[in-house]
Amino acid sequence: MASERQARLGDRIRVILAERLEKGLRDPRLGFVTITDVRVTGDLQHASVFYTVLGSDEEREASGEALRSATGMLRSEVGKHLNTRLTPSLEFIPDALPENAGHIAELLREAQERDAAVAGLASSATYAGDEDPYVKPREAGDED
């Protein structure tokens, strides 16, 4: 039951934060931020907010600083929209999803190149022995 409540609360916080960020903050450092996930602790006191930023490393860093400096305002915004006795503290954590996706794409490209190289070698390969190495049953007319 508690994990269901945590998940519901996390989803609600994600929606509230996404709507608030869509309206914009007055911080020029904030880039195009997407809230990817919110995980709430079992006691509902703390929420880890995972986010991604579209752009360069500098833009990601600047957006992270902007979110951290706006944490108090965003927490009070969450508190206004939640029907809970306590508002959880917020911690903004950059989601490693884009970096992982880039790494996976690189690995897939590498594997594709290796497959192409192996296919090239296989197309010009010849059999080491007979083409059909399997022993066939003797027919009635065959004698040694």
Side-chain angles (χ1 to χ4, degrees), residues 10 13 20 23 26 52 72 79 85 87 108 113-114 129:
I13 291 171
R20 181 63 186 99
K23 292 177 190 170
R26 292 186 185 160
T52 60
R85 189 169 58 85
T87 303
L108 287 172
E113 286 175 1
R114 288 182 184 166

Side-chain angles (χ1 to χ4, degrees), residues 49-105:
V49 181
F50 295 89
Y51 67 94
T52 60
V53 179
L54 189 64
S56 66
D57 288 340
E58 294 81 27
E59 290 169 316
R60 283 190 204 116
E61 193 65 38
S63 293
E65 290 171 17
L67 286 172
R68 281 187 284 284
S69 67
T71 299
M73 185 275 297
L74 291 170
R75 183 177 182 215
S76 63
E77 185 82 15
V78 166
K80 278 189 237 174
H81 294 86
L82 287 181
N83 298 333
T84 57
R85 189 169 58 85
L86 296 170
T87 303
S89 61
L90 303 177
E91 177 188 11
F92 289 94
I93 303 169
D95 200 341
L97 189 71
E99 291 80 16
N100 290 346
H103 181 65
I104 289 171

Side-chain angles (χ1 to χ4, degrees), residues 85-138:
R85 189 169 58 85
L86 296 170
T87 303
S89 61
L90 303 177
E91 177 188 11
F92 289 94
I93 303 169
D95 200 341
L97 189 71
E99 291 80 16
N100 290 346
H103 181 65
I104 289 171
E106 176 64 25
L107 290 174
L108 287 172
R109 186 193 57 72
E110 232 176 80
Q112 197 172 24
E113 286 175 1
R114 288 182 184 166
D115 286 349
V118 168
L121 289 172
S123 67
S124 63
T126 58
Y127 292 103
D130 294 334
E131 261 187 60
D132 189 3
Y134 297 103
V135 176
K136 298 196 177 26
R138 294 186 184 184

